[in-house]
């Protein structure tokens, strides 16, 4: 990790990235407007401590694809994972075809990982049971 200000202050020791413990997640657009330049400033100053960027509330679905990919690529360049948060829950209400297209689109725009409170099998998805 880079030299930080106030190095005499104790802080919890952390593994190098990618970490499996002590994960720090920041929120993307929704709670605050965030474009590539804003995120770049955050990651340039605090990137050693950021492990995950979470798009909240489906905000990523409103962004132009080019800018979304730029944000995802920037996060990945700092070894930061990108998540759609719990938006899959909203997607599930629109049926299996939309869910499959959603997952394909997440792959297309750049290795976004999905958080889901349940594990879904194709048969359960087809019946609408979660």
């Amino acid at each position: 990790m880079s030299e930080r200000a106030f190095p005499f202050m104790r802080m919890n020791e952390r593994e190098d990235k990618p970490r499996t413990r002590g994960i720090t997640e920041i929120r993307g657009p929704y709670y605050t407007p965030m474009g590539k330049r804003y995120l770049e400033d955050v990651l340039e100053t605090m990137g050693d401590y950021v492990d995950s960027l979470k798009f909240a509330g489906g905000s990523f679905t409103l962004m132009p694809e080019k800018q979304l990919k730029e944000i995802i690529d920037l996060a990945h360049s700092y070894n930061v994972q990108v998540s759609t948060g719990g938006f899959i829950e909203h997607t599930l209400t629109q049926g299996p075809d939309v869910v499959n297209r959603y997952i394909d689109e997440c792959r297309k725009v750049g290795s976004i990982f999905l958080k889901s409170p349940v594990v879904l099998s194709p048969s359960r998805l087809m019946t609408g049971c979660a």
Side-chain angles (χ1 to χ4, degrees):
M1 292 196 183
S2 62
E3 184 63 31
R4 63 183 178 89
F6 300 90
F8 55 89
M9 300 290 297
R10 272 189 313 231
M11 63 180 263
N12 293 337
E13 292 297 319
R14 298 178 68 169
E15 303 168 0
D16 289 333
K17 289 187 194 182
R19 285 184 268 279
T20 57
R21 299 179 309 129
I23 305 296
T24 300
E25 176 181 88
I26 63 173
R27 304 292 171 94
Y30 180 74
Y31 297 105
T32 184
M34 180 186 289
K36 181 182 173 189
R37 288 179 292 279
Y38 174 88
L39 179 60
E40 191 164 24
D41 285 345
V42 169
L43 294 177
E44 187 177 289
T45 58
M46 303 289 291
D48 286 344
Y49 303 98
V50 176
D51 300 291
S52 177
L53 169 66
K54 176 182 175 179
F55 286 111
S59 59
F60 57 95
T61 65
L62 304 175
M63 301 175 80
E65 186 174 315
K66 179 180 182 264
Q67 283 77 13
L68 177 59
K69 285 181 176 184
E70 287 176 354
I71 287 173
I72 293 167
D73 290 346
L74 176 63
H76 289 163
S77 75
Y78 281 85
N79 203 16
V80 172
Q81 295 181 341
V82 180
S83 165
T84 61
F87 196 72
I88 188 74
E89 293 173 14
H90 173 70
T91 307
L92 289 169
T93 67
Q94 298 185 31
D97 182 55
V98 172
V99 171
N100 290 330
R101 290 175 64 192
Y102 173 74
I103 292 169
D104 289 343
E105 191 73 11
C106 286
R107 286 185 187 120
K108 177 182 160 195
V109 296
S111 300
I112 297 176
F113 74 89
L114 309 172
K115 292 183 179 181
S116 177
V118 295
V119 177
L120 301 172
S121 68
S123 61
R124 294 187 88 182
L125 192 57
M126 293 301 217
T127 63
C129 299

